Amino acid sequence: MDISVLQSYVDQCDSISCIMSVEKKPGGYGDIRIVTGNKAYIDSIERNSDEETDIAKEKHFVPNSLYTKYFPHDLNFEDFCYRAAIKKECMHTYVSPERVNFWFNLFFLPVKSDDENVGYCVYTYEITMGADTELMTNIPLQTASNVLQTCLELKGTNDFQTSIDNVISNIRKMCGASRCCLLLTDFKQRKCSLLSLSESPDIQGDPIEIKNFINDDFFDIVSTWSDTIAGSDYLMIKNAQDMQVLKERNPTWYESLAAYNVDNLVLFPLKYAGETKGYIWVTHFDTEQSINIRETLELTTFFIASEISNQQLLRQLEYTSNIDLLTGVYNRNAMNNRVAKLVNGTDSYPDDLKVVFADVNGLKQTNDRKGHLAGDILIKSAAILLQEAFLGQEIYRAGGDEFTVFISNMTDEEFNAKMQLISASVNSGEGVNLALGWCADNGRNDIREDMKEADEKMYLNKAAHYEKLRQKQA
């Protein structure tokens, strides 16, 4: 095709524009090239590398070069070019690829070709430095319906897990897929976990045991996904040609997928506030629905990531409001809430409830002589001693040096043995020294009276300790 005709055509475009050529191949496509571009497009490649919008690999534009000479290999970009140039579809998307810090408003428009072996399209784009919500909501009716359904599901119940399970099930059905998984990731701790899984009934005999397959060891593969996506905003593998690209880009993951006969997949990161919260992973999907899948997941993943972030924040707030940060046991607020629920009947009384009060002896003297850091170590030591003795029971730091333990489902013999172990440790003279008092509820179901009695016994024990010290010093 006459390049001067294509140049004249693209020069009439005000936006950054170029002509892409796509080689036709049986069942797919071959080379994808940048045939020519208008001045704005060529400047976007040849501008200085210190400019904020610079993304090109090569700085000198040569007409009819492979696009990978200038930009990273991107399967999503190739799919758009193929659909526009070969299948003659008008394509549009609004994305923020990971490799840049701005948004692209992208258009791919078919161009008539007189070469039966090559198709052409106009690739044009605009850049916005921040997300334009009007452009984000400029979506087809079916996509809007899918996104709205997701939002309603996320807010449709107070049970977060149920909501997420419903969303993942709907996504799997929308994709016509055999599986849809939602993985949570923690890149600081190098951990991942399966939050939700939906499987088609037709794959009950499938050899993959997802719940066992996805564990912390699997994070070694998950940690490679960002590079595998290669700066795009998602990964879509539709056929053997795409799988070959994946094999070259990430051979370890490719071998893992091939071992389980996975020949197509969609992978979308769940990003919120610049942080990857996890991934949605779909396998054996309906490739004929790829455009609808892409358009839907580009938006729904934003809302899912937002909801996950909110839930994580709520859990963190709940943790900090109920956990003593110094010792890791429950704090006074949690104890007061537990007592209130027992008193008002919200919680039923545990079987054979016993209450233990423990107070650190000598904390003030330690703080005065060795400093508050040494005092903190003493308090932590007390918590550890109680945790070791009463593993699985309710342990609270009720005050500065005071601890309360609620014990249930423990025989008197077991309880007495544990109290003897604590007393032996205290009397050994090594480590922390505790004043102890305890009370058995014995069916009276009055937690406040139990705590009062245990507290009084503890103070008697404490007084005896200091009297013994006084006598030694006399």
Side-chain angles (χ1 to χ4, degrees):
M1 191 164 179
D2 189 346
I3 192 171
S4 63
V5 174
L6 296 175
Q7 184 68 60
S8 176
Y9 181 86
V10 80
D11 282 341
Q12 298 178 50
C13 299
D14 292 329
S15 300
I16 301 172
S17 305
C18 68
I19 299 292
M20 306 294 300
S21 69
V22 180
E23 181 185 13
K24 294 181 181 178
K25 290 278 190 177
Y29 59 88
D31 290 342
I32 297 180
R33 298 176 180 273
I34 307 174
V35 178
T36 188
N38 63 8
K39 184 177 184 303
Y41 185 82
I42 295 174
D43 285 347
S44 72
I45 291 177
E46 296 186 342
R47 62 166 51 96
N48 294 328
S49 61
D50 61 349
E51 291 195 24
E52 187 173 12
T53 57
D54 176 66
I55 56 174
K57 292 163 57 179
E58 174 61 48
K59 296 302 170 190
H60 179 63
F61 178 69
V62 177
N64 213 38
S65 296
L66 291 172
Y67 87 92
T68 50
K69 180 178 180 180
Y70 303 100
F71 309 109
H73 198 161
D74 189 330
L75 292 177
N76 304 322
F77 178 77
E78 290 185 4
D79 183 56
F80 272 55
C81 290
Y82 167 71
R83 286 182 174 276
I86 303 300
K87 302 187 77 172
K88 303 305 178 184
E89 299 175 6
C90 295
M91 305 295 295
H92 169 256
T93 188
Y94 184 62
V95 296
S96 178
E98 192 172 83
R99 63 176 176 262
V100 296
N101 59 355
F102 46 87
W103 288 74
F104 281 116
N105 191 23
L106 307 177
F107 299 87
F108 298 77
L109 304 175
V111 173
K112 185 176 181 180
S113 173
D114 56 11
D115 187 338
E116 63 179 11
N117 296 315
V118 179
Y120 295 90
C121 69
V122 176
Y123 165 48
T124 183
Y125 67 86
E126 299 171 336
I127 291 175
T128 61
M129 300 312 297
D132 188 324
T133 54
E134 184 175 346
L135 290 173
M136 292 178 72
T137 55
N138 184 19
I139 55 177
L141 180 60
Q142 182 59 53
T143 302
S145 176
N146 292 335
V147 174
L148 179 59
Q149 182 179 14
T150 295
C151 294
L152 291 174
E153 288 285 2
L154 288 173
K155 300 298 183 182
T157 174
N158 292 327
D159 185 341
F160 173 69
Q161 187 63 56
T162 298
S163 297
I164 285 294
D165 288 343
N166 289 339
V167 167
I168 294 304
S169 176
N170 290 339
I171 288 176
R172 181 189 63 77
K173 293 173 183 176
M174 183 270 295
C175 294
S178 63
R179 274 193 185 88
C180 183
C181 307
L182 196 163
L183 307 181
L184 293 181
T185 53
D186 185 336
F187 284 85
K188 293 181 180 178
Q189 299 294 325
R190 292 190 60 81
K191 293 179 179 292
C192 64
S193 60
L194 181 65
L195 177 61
S196 184
L197 169 67
S198 175
E199 295 180 307
S200 169
D202 299 334
I203 62 166
Q204 290 180 350
D206 195 291
I208 305 179
E209 294 291 341
I210 291 292
K211 293 181 180 179
N212 298 326
F213 183 70
I214 297 173
N215 50 40
D216 289 342
D217 293 335
F218 186 63
F219 186 84
D220 290 338
I221 290 180
V222 174
S223 64
T224 68
W225 285 353
S226 179
D227 290 337
T228 303
I229 292 175
S232 186
D233 57 339
Y234 69 101
L235 179 69
M236 184 176 284
I237 304 293
K238 301 182 297 300
N239 49 41
Q241 182 176 348
D242 292 346
M243 286 296 289
Q244 186 60 36
V245 173
L246 179 63
K247 183 178 181 180
E248 296 169 0
R249 191 178 291 175
N250 192 334
T252 301
W253 188 27
Y254 169 83
E255 294 297 336
S256 175
L257 294 171
Y260 292 104
N261 300 315
V262 176
D263 54 11
N264 75 26
L265 66 91
V266 181
L267 181 70
F268 264 85
L270 297 168
K271 288 183 171 292
Y272 187 77
E275 181 181 355
T276 300
K277 299 292 183 178
Y279 289 89
I280 285 183
W281 182 21
V282 179
T283 58
H284 298 113
F285 69 96
D286 181 3
T287 56
E288 294 298 317
Q289 296 294 320
S290 59
I291 294 179
N292 183 38
I293 292 170
R294 173 190 61 80
E295 291 175 337
T296 299
L297 292 184
E298 277 179 341
L299 282 176
T300 56
T301 50
F302 171 80
F303 293 109
I304 294 170
S306 174
E307 192 65 21
I308 289 173
S309 182
N310 289 339
Q311 289 297 319
Q312 290 174 339
L313 177 60
L314 288 173
R315 283 197 295 269
Q316 182 63 28
L317 291 173
E318 182 179 2
Y319 179 87
T320 56
S321 67
N322 288 287
I323 300 297
D324 176 58
L325 298 182
L326 177 64
T327 63
V329 301
Y330 292 118
N331 60 19
R332 187 177 187 85
N333 178 63
M335 184 183 75
N336 290 339
N337 288 337
R338 176 69 161 135
V339 169
K341 289 179 180 179
L342 288 170
V343 170
N344 63 31
T346 303
D347 291 349
S348 59
Y349 269 79
D351 294 335
D352 304 319
L353 176 66
K354 297 178 179 65
V355 177
V356 174
F357 267 49
D359 190 279
V360 179
N361 288 324
L363 179 63
K364 183 178 186 304
Q365 291 83 348
T366 299
N367 285 335
D368 292 343
R369 293 198 312 267
K370 299 180 180 180
H372 286 276
L373 179 59
D376 286 348
I377 293 174
L378 204 59
I379 292 171
K380 289 187 206 178
S381 299
I384 291 171
L385 179 60
L386 293 171
Q387 286 174 306
E388 290 175 345
F390 299 115
L391 182 65
Q393 301 293 339
E394 301 172 47
I395 303 173
Y396 302 89
R397 184 183 176 194
D401 58 356
E402 298 176 356
F403 293 86
T404 304
V405 187
F406 295 162
I407 299 165
S408 60
N409 298 314
M410 182 181 293
T411 66
D412 292 343
E413 291 77 11
E414 291 174 322
F415 175 75
N416 290 332
K418 291 182 180 297
M419 291 298 291
Q420 288 175 7
L421 286 175
I422 295 176
S423 297
S425 176
V426 168
N427 294 329
S428 69
E430 298 180 2
V432 66
N433 191 297
L434 294 176
L436 297 167
W438 67 275
C439 172
D441 182 78
N442 291 327
R444 67 181 171 185
N445 292 353
D446 194 334
I447 187 67
R448 289 176 293 195
E449 282 299 317
D450 297 338
M451 294 174 69
K452 180 181 177 182
E453 183 177 334
D455 188 39
E456 289 172 349
K457 290 180 179 179
M458 182 271 292
Y459 273 105
L460 289 174
N461 184 259
K462 193 175 192 69
H465 167 76
Y466 283 110
E467 176 61 23
K468 187 175 180 180
L469 283 181
R470 188 186 65 79
Q471 292 176 357
K472 282 185 177 182
Q473 295 170 355

